């Protein structure tokens, strides 16, 4: 599935089952909540916290929730995430093409 197809599938689902998009501000709050849920799982799996009884290692599901809400926001604001992501990669490549390679801190773990 491409990013464009993901945006289209989210839009179709909203129109079929979701009645309408939540407001942009509500979706921004939901996105923040979903990022927090991912952070909680990551802290328990890779950090110093432990899972509580009943907690699940659902990292993929939490990431998918984030992508879902991000697609909602992109659709609502007329953003083509494919185009923007390509631009973002180009920006990072131009800005950082030598920065990370020349960073001695990154070479310490090799």
């Amino acid at each position: 599935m491409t990013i464009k197809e993901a945006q289209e599938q989210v839009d179709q689902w909203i129109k079929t089952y979701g009645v309408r998009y939540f407001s942009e501000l509500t979706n921004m709050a939901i996105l923040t909540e979903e990022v927090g849920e991912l952070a909680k799982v990551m802290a328990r799996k890779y950090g110093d916290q432990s899972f509580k009884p009943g907690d699940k290692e659902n990292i993929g599901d939490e990431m998918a929730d984030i992508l879902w809400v991000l697609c909602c926001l992109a659709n609502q604001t007329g953003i083509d995430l494919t185009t923007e992501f390509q631009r973002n990669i180009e920006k990072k490549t131009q800005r950082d093409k030598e920065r990370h390679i020349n960073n001695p801190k990154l070479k310490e773990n090799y």
Side-chain angles (χ1 to χ4, degrees), residues 34-99:
E34 296 297 350
V35 170
E37 290 175 9
L38 174 62
K40 178 181 172 182
V41 175
M42 296 292 288
R44 282 159 176 72
K45 182 170 176 78
Y46 300 105
D48 299 323
Q49 292 187 327
S50 59
F51 284 97
K52 296 174 188 170
D55 282 349
K56 298 177 185 173
E57 286 188 38
N58 54 350
I59 292 172
D61 187 53
E62 297 301 348
M63 288 181 179
D65 284 343
I66 291 166
L67 181 59
W68 175 275
V69 181
L70 190 60
C71 285
C72 287
L73 283 166
N75 289 345
Q76 289 175 277
T77 57
I79 302 296
D80 177 342
L81 283 174
T82 300
T83 299
E84 294 303 324
F85 192 70
Q86 289 169 336
R87 285 181 188 156
N88 192 271
I89 289 173
E90 290 168 12
K91 174 187 77 175
K92 284 175 174 44
T93 301
Q94 290 301 312
R95 182 188 67 203
D96 301 328
K97 63 183 170 191
E98 295 181 19
R99 188 179 108 193

